[in-house]
Amino acid sequence: MSTESQVNRMEKIVSLCKRRGFIFQSSEIYGGLNGFWDYGPLGAELKRNVKELWWKSMTRLRDDIVGLEATIIMHPSVWKASGHVDTFSDPMSTCRSCKKLVRSDQVWDMLETTPWAEAVRSCAPGGVADREALLKWAKGKGQRLVPNFALVKDPETMLGRLSERSAEAPGSQQHLLQILCTADPSGPLSMPCPHCAGELTEPRPFNLMFKTYVGPAATEDDIAYLRPETAQAIFVQFKNVVDSSRVKVPFGICQIGKAFRNEVTPRNFTFRSREFEQMELEFFIKPDEVVQAQTGGIAKLPEGELPGQPEANWGWEMWHKYWVEERLRWYESIGLKRSSLEEYWQKPDELAHYARATVDILYKFPFGTQELEGIAARSNFDLTQHQTHSGKSMEYFDQEANLRYVPHVIEPSAGVDRLILALLAEAFEEEEVVDEKGQKEVRTVLRFHPRVAPIKAGIFPLLKNKPELVSKALEVRDLLRPLMNVFYDDGGAIGRRYRRQDEAGTPFCITIDFDTIGENGPEKKDTVTLRHRDSMKQERVRIADLPAYLLSQTS
RNA sequence: GCGGGUAUAGCUUAGUGGUAAAGCUCCAGCCUUCCAAGCUGGCUAGGAGGGUUCGAUUCCCUCUACCCGCUCCA
């Protein structure tokens, strides 16, 4: 639940994002577009840094993962095979009384365990209504439990309706509930709202996949979808990667890219957008039977211990835990405190049909603790689906084991945009500082980890109207510019320039002063003030030492 | 999609059926030897479309976007 101060904090973050050029509304001059956001100059740098760090940690720093960059529009069969065509178009109904939105296909399941529905069913054993029991319930308990229920509002009329409508209701409890909740005697029967027993609207399809047409004819036959996730492209190209890259199971294929979902409700700033970017890894492993056969046993992780480095006898459970740990460590490496993160192991009844286990990595956003990444053990569901639908073998020939199998997969799947939002939320701080006159004031600072900070260093001549300072500062800028993103600024008082960089999250500021140009003795010549964002402390550093120092801090 | 709230300058907020105000930010200049200093000048605003009216930012309607809830999930 978001408290008022948390909502307020979120508003300040949104406002800062706009003011400093991190995130803008898409198409803002035309009134914006629901669920779409743009990154401004600082946001673009931040996002690029994050993606590069992920890509580097996945591919370049490991020898068991390779990259892929696939198209956004793929053959429509991909989405039939993956199940998205079916599962991404849920029929939904709204309750006319309590206004809640429910999935139409889940209504009867939900009613199985709903107390008020149980009570009604117990008054109609086998679908045969006990009118007296129903009347008693409607005038008693029903009044408190479900005042929106048509039967409760007008028991006599609704019970009368039972016999009028009996032709349509051949003695089932479902039909009984439908008759008793439908107020209009001439209209079609409604479904009851599981929450309040009010009437639900007709089911309307909610299509979560964006449709488009391939080719100018734009007929029904040309329908294609913008991908709702990047993962499927990896499965679809699995064979090509195996055949071209000399990879051996266990190995992974990773991808960063845009995905699109027609979300019912885009909400919470960029957290749930209709166009968003994912960073996904599909890590292919041997089926447990194969590991068992090869090593004589599957490794078990003692309670409370971490997996450590991969071993030949790891089954899917070890690999899954390994990736959870790897991912958590990565989040810490870019500046999300472990205490701001939460691990959530989905319960068996929450798991998607293809998943054996799923761990969500959650971040404590100001608007609530929400998912950044899901790490799913998906068995060999996806490859098998594509094998079935395409008719092409997805089997891998394992030379060591001398057999063929469809590999299983562990899938760490992260949302880039919500991670950016998490980094902003984590970094945002309003600090009370005392100025030289002893006045308290608020310093707004983004405490980004230097690795992700959009600007690594601000470079300032102490005074703008002293050409020696300006030219020396430009020299320092030119020294550092090829190595990292730096920002030269000579506008306004030095303190103001520091504070501007604080709001941009720049970890270091370099000031070229009279010492630098040798006015105060040769020993101080070619040294600069290095000012640290978080402590606001300053130190004297030789220009020659700057590149190595800054690189060590920011990479 | 449904319900509730909101919409004035880059930001935060005034005010008004008759020329829209301020602070901060930003830009230019002067000045300035290390934490939003000072002086001068400057840019910039009532989400969009209709209606009522002599005249609408203000009243009415429609739409859009944002925030909160239902729902969904990377």
Side-chain angles (χ1 to χ4, degrees):
Chain A
M1 254 315 97
S2 10
T3 65
E4 202 180 317
S5 72
Q6 294 287 293
V7 169
N8 197 258
R9 178 177 167 82
M10 202 54 217
E11 277 169 8
K12 283 177 176 169
I13 292 171
V14 173
S15 165
L16 175 67
C17 280
K18 183 167 188 200
R19 180 156 35 98
R20 286 295 171 189
F22 282 96
I23 297 170
F24 307 126
Q25 234 183 331
S26 165
S27 322
E28 198 196 65
I29 61 167
Y30 289 105
L33 191 58
N34 192 348
F36 296 87
W37 301 90
D38 292 345
Y39 288 87
L42 290 182
E45 289 287 342
L46 174 63
K47 191 171 175 186
R48 181 170 290 260
N49 290 342
V50 167
K51 287 193 286 181
E52 271 175 15
L53 285 163
W54 186 88
W55 188 260
K56 192 173 155 196
S57 79
M58 284 296 178
T59 61
R60 297 187 196 141
L61 298 180
R62 304 181 62 109
D63 48 23
D64 57 354
I65 299 179
V66 293
L68 181 74
E69 183 152 333
T71 57
I72 286 169
I73 295 174
M74 290 187 274
H75 196 288
S77 300
V78 170
W79 308 111
K80 293 199 182 78
S82 69
H84 283 86
V85 171
D86 296 328
T87 60
F88 264 53
S89 59
D90 300 325
M92 307 288 276
S93 301
T94 313
C95 173
R96 295 186 205 276
S97 301
C98 72
K99 306 299 178 192
K100 285 192 178 167
L101 189 69
V102 289
R103 272 177 58 172
S104 318
D105 56 347
Q106 289 182 347
V107 167
W108 297 114
D109 283 348
M110 290 170 79
L111 285 169
E112 287 294 314
T113 53
T114 307
W116 72 261
E118 274 175 17
V120 174
R121 274 195 300 269
S122 70
C123 297
V128 182
D130 176 343
R131 281 161 206 252
E132 269 179 39
L134 280 170
L135 188 67
K136 189 175 165 224
W137 179 81
K139 290 189 163 176
K141 272 193 176 170
Q143 293 278 348
R144 286 201 318 276
L145 215 53
V146 279
N148 292 334
F149 197 15
L151 172 71
V152 170
K153 285 182 180 163
D154 188 355
E156 281 80 9
T157 308
M158 293 315 293
L159 284 172
R161 203 68 61 65
L162 271 182
S163 35
E164 290 165 30
R165 290 241 188 186
S166 60
E168 306 166 39
S172 96
Q173 289 179 326
Q174 276 192 10
H175 280 87
L176 182 79
L177 284 172
Q178 287 190 281
I179 294 170
L180 292 178
C181 81
T182 308
D184 178 1
S186 56
L189 290 177
S190 303
M191 286 197 293
C193 168
H195 303 283
C196 76
E199 280 185 71
L200 292 178
T201 58
E202 281 289 291
R204 272 189 309 269
F206 271 56
N207 254 303
L208 262 47
M209 278 204 287
F210 275 92
K211 265 188 198 148
T212 187
Y213 301 93
V214 173
T219 71
E220 281 295 301
D221 295 338
D222 304 317
I223 285 183
Y225 303 97
L226 306 194
R227 63 184 178 197
E229 62 171 38
T230 53
Q232 293 306 320
I234 295 177
F235 296 122
V236 168
Q237 291 293 9
F238 171 76
K239 260 308 206 191
N240 277 332
V241 173
V242 168
D243 292 345
S244 62
S245 317
R246 305 178 59 227
V247 286
K248 289 198 180 102
V249 173
F251 78 97
I253 305 174
C254 70
Q255 171 163 239
I256 298 177
K258 287 283 178 82
F260 302 81
R261 290 182 195 178
N262 248 324
E263 290 294 342
V264 177
T265 310
R267 198 54 65 78
N268 286 324
F269 198 29
T270 58
F271 183 80
R272 181 168 297 115
S273 305
R274 290 188 162 132
E275 174 174 341
F276 58 102
E277 201 153 13
Q278 291 182 303
M279 306 188 289
E280 290 194 307
L281 166 67
E282 302 299 333
F283 196 82
F284 299 97
I285 54 173
K286 302 181 188 201
D288 279 10
E289 316 82 83
V290 175
V291 177
Q292 173 78 39
Q294 276 189 296
T295 65
I298 308 275
K300 280 262 182 294
L301 188 64
E303 194 68 28
E305 279 189 34
L306 298 177
Q309 288 307 300
E311 302 281 353
N313 62 352
W314 279 15
W316 71 265
E317 280 182 284
M318 282 295 274
W319 276 111
H320 186 228
K321 285 178 179 149
Y322 166 82
W323 275 111
V324 172
E325 205 47 41
E326 281 291 296
R327 299 301 304 139
L328 283 168
R329 266 207 290 272
W330 185 76
Y331 285 116
E332 283 183 278
S333 78
I334 61 168
L336 296 184
K337 288 190 295 291
R338 193 79 170 221
S339 59
S340 303
L341 296 168
E342 243 172 59
E343 238 179 89
Y344 178 75
W345 289 73
Q346 287 191 11
K347 305 200 171 53
D349 59 316
E350 295 171 323
L351 290 173
H353 58 283
Y354 51 74
R356 287 183 170 177
T358 299
V359 174
D360 294 334
I361 295 179
L362 313 171
Y363 177 77
K364 294 170 185 165
F365 284 99
F367 47 80
T369 302
Q370 299 272 356
E371 186 180 349
L372 281 184
E373 169 159 350
I375 300 159
R378 295 172 70 106
S379 72
N380 61 3
F381 173 81
D382 302 274
L383 285 180
T384 306
Q385 284 292 107
H386 287 300
Q387 180 167 275
T388 308
H389 280 77
S390 69
K392 304 285 193 313
S393 168
M394 291 294 151
E395 285 189 328
Y396 167 84
F397 179 67
D398 189 322
Q399 283 194 318
E400 281 175 46
N402 195 29
L403 51 83
R404 289 176 188 285
Y405 53 81
V406 176
H408 287 225
V409 73
I410 307 292
E411 177 194 87
S413 166
V416 184
D417 306 275
R418 44 182 64 179
L419 173 54
I420 298 300
L421 189 55
L423 288 170
L424 284 161
E426 181 87 358
F428 180 81
E429 190 170 329
E430 287 182 317
E431 186 188 58
E432 204 165 74
V433 293
V434 179
D435 70 14
E436 43 188 7
K437 292 173 201 133
Q439 299 286 314
K440 280 184 183 168
E441 56 171 13
V442 171
R443 179 173 84 116
T444 303
V445 52
L446 289 178
R447 300 190 190 277
F448 289 129
H449 191 289
R451 275 199 262 270
V452 299
I455 300 170
K456 307 302 184 192
I459 299 170
F460 316 139
L462 182 59
L463 299 175
K464 179 162 65 165
N465 58 358
K466 297 286 184 289
E468 311 90 315
L469 292 180
V470 170
S471 66
K472 194 70 188 172
L474 289 170
E475 247 177 65
V476 173
R477 178 196 67 179
D478 291 340
L479 170 73
L480 296 174
R481 195 144 66 166
L483 306 174
M484 63 192 73
N485 193 30
V486 297
F487 185 78
Y488 175 84
D489 189 3
D490 61 11
I494 191 73
R496 175 182 297 272
R497 283 177 267 166
Y498 286 151
R499 295 299 171 83
R500 273 201 281 254
Q501 292 307 312
D502 287 342
E503 278 201 345
T506 306
F508 305 103
C509 289
I510 294 160
T511 299
I512 283 71
D513 56 23
F514 293 93
D515 287 0
T516 317
I517 55 175
E519 282 200 1
N520 299 314
E523 69 282 359
K524 287 187 174 168
K525 190 166 188 295
D526 287 328
T527 66
V528 294
T529 301
L530 184 70
R531 181 259 195 186
H532 296 263
R533 175 195 64 203
D534 295 342
S535 62
M536 295 169 75
K537 294 246 166 65
Q538 304 189 347
E539 59 176 321
R540 217 57 220 173
V541 178
R542 291 172 52 222
I543 290 174
D545 294 337
L546 280 174
Y549 174 77
L550 292 175
L551 283 174
S552 75
Q553 295 295 305
T554 57
S555 59

